[in-house]
Amino acid sequence: MNTQEKQMAIDSLKDYEMRLIELADQIWEVAEPAFEEFQSAEAICDFLESAGFFVERGIAGLPTAFKGTFGSGHPVIGILGEYDALIDLSQEAGCPVHHPTGGRCGHGCGHHELAASTLAGALIAKKYLEENLVQGTIVYFGCPAEEGGAGKAFMVRAGVFRGVDIALSSHPAGSNAVRTGTTCASLRFEYTFHGIKSHPATQPENGRSAFDALELFNIGINFLREHIKQQNYIHYAVTYAGGDAPNVIPDLAKGVYVVRSTSLEEARELSCRMDLCAQGAAISTETTYEKSLLSAGNHLISCESVERILYKNFEETDLPIYTEEDEKFGRKIFESNPKFADAPDICCQFGRVWESEFRQWQDTHQETVFNRFLPSYAHTQDLVAGATDLAEVSWNLPTASIFFVTAPKKVSVHTWQFTAFGKTDCAHQGILMAGRVLGGTAIDFFADPALVEEAWKDFRKNLPGEYISPVEGMVVEKFHENRQNNI
């Protein structure tokens, strides 16, 4: 491969830098939840069309899913973007104290940065194909509802990724790294309890409290947690407690529950034990309950050969130098939660092999709140407690992803602090850096199709069995109905 041609394609990103930053900030501002990312999706589609991609909207029967295509023939490299926000994480940008804005949602997982970084990678790959007349296709996949909606699972079910040779993605974080290892499989349920309304003073004997049942169910869940495997998790949120009137025995109560485990089969077994808790709560309170599956997902399958190419491109990319303004803001963010100081760094969380190397680096870089550090790559099968619907794609084709710095080290995603950092220079620099890594990786596959064959050998070797869609029989509209009822 002509490295000069590759570098020219990467350098062409400069023509789009300001527009990409503006797009990321725009998506941060609108902060739309799962399956409702209408403005965000349309903004990305418009960008793709203006850059010369052929765009198909509403794919897989999902109004906010789309793809933008450029080129022809193989290899077909898919770059996957996300743009959904999290409920209850609105926050004023650049504010070091908790100050929610008028909206309810916020980008506490940085998916606005994910969207822009993957788009940057697709633009670089397109430029390479365009300038060098190389056979190949770059496809930007707009993937909705990663946060609890399993959007990619529905896209896989619809066959959207058939014919794609390699899938690449990214994710904002507090550290730079090539993602390796595996993640949890997950199930998300809604439990609804039904009782009988009555006056709690004059006729308490005639009432049957749905909220009492829900509370007993949650007590049962908490006792159950003591008797499950160490790598299993149950999380829940009460979404409807029966109303605001204490002088009315509530006849309806709801909660949403997430089960995580090392495999989908094991998660399903754990959910059956949860059902026993629900049955006991219903019997105790003479109520009834029903259970709805909201989303489901498999565990991630890593692909070492694709990870190595991502790492090579990460090594070739300059890491950002952060401004004094971002450093000051980062220190204030640290002060907003003293527990950040004792939290493990993501470099330790996502691979034990990195820990000693990171500690050595950290000893000489205590003055900065950011990780200007790229750990040596080492493939691992370690389990990460989180879950992602990127796993569904990883069961169907070679898939790999990177983490890139957009916030101070140790600051957790899914917090208002992470949301507050979403429009900073640090975030903007991270977007462009990640785009260069993804674009350079796509170019490597275009320049040497033998790398694709190697990736597929690796993929087939690690595939644990036949892929079974976790959302078979599920209807997206049911998710909409449940989510709207819970707001």
Side-chain angles (χ1 to χ4, degrees):
M1 177 180 59
N2 188 320
T3 55
Q4 185 177 1
E5 292 171 348
K6 177 180 178 180
Q7 191 59 50
M8 287 177 63
I10 293 172
D11 290 344
S12 72
L13 187 63
K14 293 175 183 176
D15 297 335
Y16 289 101
E17 286 182 355
M18 290 310 300
R19 289 181 60 196
L20 285 164
I21 289 168
E22 290 169 0
L23 176 67
D25 288 354
Q26 178 184 351
I27 295 171
W28 186 97
E29 289 285 352
V30 295
E32 299 165 299
F35 292 122
E36 296 180 22
E37 317 93 329
F38 298 105
Q39 295 180 71
S40 302
E42 190 60 26
I44 303 170
C45 286
D46 288 346
F47 196 120
L48 285 164
E49 286 178 330
S50 71
F53 286 79
F54 173 71
V55 176
E56 299 171 70
R57 292 168 169 82
I59 62 175
L62 306 176
T64 55
F66 59 88
K67 67 177 182 177
T69 306
F70 180 86
S72 62
H74 289 267
V76 179
I77 309 300
I79 298 186
L80 282 56
E82 300 166 13
Y83 32 87
D84 58 323
L86 285 155
I87 296 172
D88 292 333
L89 273 180
S90 74
Q91 168 65 25
E92 181 183 342
C95 181
V97 295
H98 191 202
H99 189 261
T101 59
R104 189 176 176 193
C105 297
H107 276 286
C109 208
H111 289 184
H112 65 300
E113 299 152 341
L114 196 166
S117 67
T118 49
L119 180 54
L123 291 167
I124 290 170
K126 173 186 177 290
K127 187 69 172 180
Y128 179 80
L129 293 174
E130 202 170 29
E131 292 295 318
N132 298 287
L133 303 177
V134 175
Q135 179 172 295
T137 306
I138 185 71
V139 187
Y140 182 93
F141 289 97
C143 307
E146 192 275 337
E147 299 291 357
K152 294 183 194 66
F154 291 100
M155 294 171 74
V156 169
R157 187 180 71 177
V160 165
F161 299 103
R162 286 182 193 140
V164 178
D165 293 308
I166 303 290
L168 305 173
S169 194
S170 63
H171 202 289
S175 290
N176 300 306
V178 173
R179 181 178 216 156
T180 188
T182 186
T183 60
C184 288
S186 68
L187 295 168
R188 180 179 293 246
F189 300 101
E190 180 181 64
Y191 282 82
T192 302
F193 286 87
H194 299 275
I196 302 172
K197 282 186 183 293
S198 185
H199 193 291
T202 62
Q203 292 186 335
E205 71 279 7
N206 292 333
R208 300 293 182 269
S209 173
F211 184 55
D212 285 355
L214 186 68
E215 285 194 295
L216 282 174
F217 177 44
N218 290 338
I219 290 170
I221 291 296
N222 285 313
F223 278 109
L224 175 62
R225 283 169 163 164
E226 186 183 0
H227 303 285
I228 61 179
K229 291 181 180 178
Q230 201 167 28
Q231 294 176 326
N232 289 348
Y233 306 87
I234 305 173
H235 323 289
Y236 65 86
V238 174
T239 54
Y240 183 69
D244 299 326
N247 59 340
V248 177
I249 293 175
D251 64 348
L252 183 68
K254 299 181 180 184
V256 173
Y257 299 76
V258 175
V259 181
R260 303 183 200 261
S261 191
T262 53
S263 70
L264 197 56
E265 181 181 0
E266 196 165 274
R268 285 173 174 148
E269 291 173 0
L270 181 53
S271 75
C272 291
R273 297 179 68 188
M274 291 172 60
D275 290 344
L276 296 175
C277 296
Q279 291 168 22
I283 291 170
S284 299
T285 55
E286 296 183 70
T287 58
T288 61
Y289 82 95
E290 58 194 39
K291 172 185 175 184
S292 299
L293 178 63
L294 298 182
S295 69
N298 283 285
H299 64 280
L300 185 75
I301 300 174
S302 57
C303 188
E304 181 177 359
S305 56
V306 182
E307 291 171 2
R308 289 191 178 280
I309 299 170
L310 279 169
Y311 182 74
K312 177 181 76 71
N313 281 274
F314 225 142
E315 280 190 305
E316 295 169 357
T317 301
D318 291 335
L319 300 181
I321 297 174
Y322 301 105
T323 65
E324 185 178 345
E325 182 181 357
D326 273 357
E327 287 279 353
K328 288 179 179 177
F329 181 48
R331 290 189 180 94
K332 290 179 180 178
I333 286 292
F334 267 3
E335 292 167 5
S336 72
N337 183 352
K339 292 188 181 297
F340 286 147
D342 300 322
D345 191 275
I346 195 172
C347 286
C348 305
Q349 290 174 308
F350 286 93
R352 292 190 303 267
V353 293
W354 300 339
E355 186 164 359
S356 60
E357 182 182 357
F358 173 70
R359 294 302 178 205
Q360 290 177 350
W361 175 88
Q362 192 181 44
D363 287 344
T364 58
H365 292 81
Q366 290 291 349
E367 75 282 358
T368 179
V369 298
F370 299 104
N371 275 329
R372 292 197 71 255
F373 170 73
L374 178 67
S376 299
Y377 170 76
H379 183 69
T380 175
Q381 295 295 340
D382 288 352
L383 174 71
V384 177
T388 172
D389 64 1
L390 186 64
E392 304 314 309
V393 183
S394 78
W395 276 74
N396 288 272
L397 68 146
T399 302
S401 180
I402 62 170
F403 295 109
F404 62 101
V405 169
T406 63
K409 55 191 177 186
K410 301 187 179 185
V411 173
S412 174
V413 295
H414 292 216
T415 62
W416 68 261
Q417 289 94 341
F418 205 90
T419 308
F421 237 89
K423 294 176 70 177
T424 58
D425 182 68
C426 168
H428 297 156
Q429 288 198 66
I431 288 167
L432 301 175
M433 176 188 64
R436 290 190 288 269
V437 176
L438 294 173
T441 301
I443 289 172
D444 287 347
F445 283 111
F446 288 136
D448 187 1
L451 296 174
V452 175
E453 295 179 18
E454 182 183 345
W456 273 89
K457 288 179 183 176
D458 189 11
F459 165 74
R460 293 188 181 100
K461 179 182 68 176
N462 294 319
L463 195 65
E466 181 184 359
Y467 175 73
I468 299 174
S469 171
V471 296
E472 203 60 50
M474 285 185 63
V475 180
V476 176
E477 286 72 14
K478 179 64 177 174
F479 177 92
H480 273 296
E481 177 188 332
N482 286 323
R483 206 189 68 78
Q484 288 294 336
N485 290 339
N486 291 333
I487 291 180

